[in-house]
Amino acid sequence: MNSAMRLPGRIGPHALLITAAAVPLTGWALHAVTLYKQIADGRKDLLTGLPCRPEFAAYGERLLRTRRRDAVHVLMLDGVGFKAVNDTYGHAAGDTVIQTLGRRLAQWSSTRQALAARLGGDEFAVCAVIPPSAALAEITALREQLRQPLQHEGHTLRLDVSIGIARAADLPGEDMSRILRGADTAMYKVKTGGASFPYCATRDDAYAETVNGRRAGRRGTHLLAGAA
């Protein structure tokens, strides 16, 4: 094949933007830009625009490799009373709550080295680099921001979240998956009254019992256990 006709093996977003700006988007160039946008959009949650679990996990693994573990914090967040909002005001109000939480988490993350993601339903996660001396104060302030009420079609919707914290330094040698499991268990303890916020995951939390890979106590796990 003539070297002038070879297609590049990898096209990055910056190269595509340069191509788009330099020449009319026709033929292969238009297809490449469209394909890249589809791939990028497919990695985001449709309701909030936040990244999904795979991108979140990859981001966390990069921080574990490149930053001091005592500064890497993983938060698991779950809405409180979300079902009541849906049942009382309808699913549009529930979507507004999810979008608002996502926007507030994105704004908080944009001011520091952090990434927020929606994991599903009213569950979110954040991975952030925060100086150890300031971490609990910053996370407490985030919780207060998330709890601020919002207006929807003339109604005041009051928000609340349960937050579990996992500090990478408390789980030496563990990967992102295990740290996130610790944060999830910590969040569940806070939500059910087994611990008070702020609560940081222990190694036992990171190795808490699961049902088919899911934390015991999650919605639907009783069905999995019964089917086993």
Side-chain angles (χ1 to χ4, degrees), residues 4-113:
M5 298 177 64
R6 290 178 187 156
L7 298 181
R10 183 175 180 181
I11 300 290
H14 298 297
L16 290 175
L17 291 175
I18 292 172
T19 300
V23 299
L25 292 181
T26 58
W28 182 87
L30 177 60
H31 173 72
V33 172
T34 301
L35 180 61
Y36 177 80
K37 185 177 186 304
Q38 289 174 343
I39 292 172
D41 289 345
R43 293 173 179 168
K44 293 182 179 180
D45 172 62
L46 294 178
L47 186 59
T48 64
L50 293 177
C52 297
R53 185 182 294 268
E55 283 63 48
F56 178 78
Y59 180 85
E61 291 292 354
R62 286 197 298 273
L63 291 188
L64 291 176
R65 291 194 305 268
T66 60
R67 296 294 181 267
R68 290 171 54 97
R69 288 183 75 97
D70 63 353
V72 177
H73 295 74
V74 176
L75 314 180
M76 186 74 181
L77 307 94
D78 194 40
V80 175
F82 178 70
K83 184 178 185 300
V85 172
N86 272 334
D87 292 346
T88 304
Y89 301 106
H91 290 289
D95 286 350
T96 299
V97 168
I98 295 297
Q99 290 171 327
T100 300
L101 290 175
R103 182 171 60 253
R104 291 176 181 178
L105 286 170
Q107 290 172 344
W108 185 86
S109 300
S110 69
T111 63
R112 48 188 48 81
Q113 187 174 3

Side-chain angles (χ1 to χ4, degrees), residues 165-178:
I165 306 166
R167 299 180 293 202
D170 294 338
L171 302 168
E174 302 295 354
D175 62 12
M176 184 61 180
S177 176
R178 186 66 65 181

Side-chain angles (χ1 to χ4, degrees), residues 182-227:
D184 186 42
T185 304
M187 180 276 296
Y188 188 67
K189 284 185 174 181
V190 172
K191 187 165 189 174
T192 58
S196 298
F197 175 85
Y199 174 75
C200 297
T202 65
R203 183 170 292 276
D204 285 344
D205 292 324
Y207 282 85
E209 180 182 359
T210 63
V211 179
N212 287 358
R214 303 180 70 208
R215 173 188 27 89
R218 278 184 179 273
R219 291 184 293 273
T221 49
H222 66 291
L223 300 176
L224 293 171

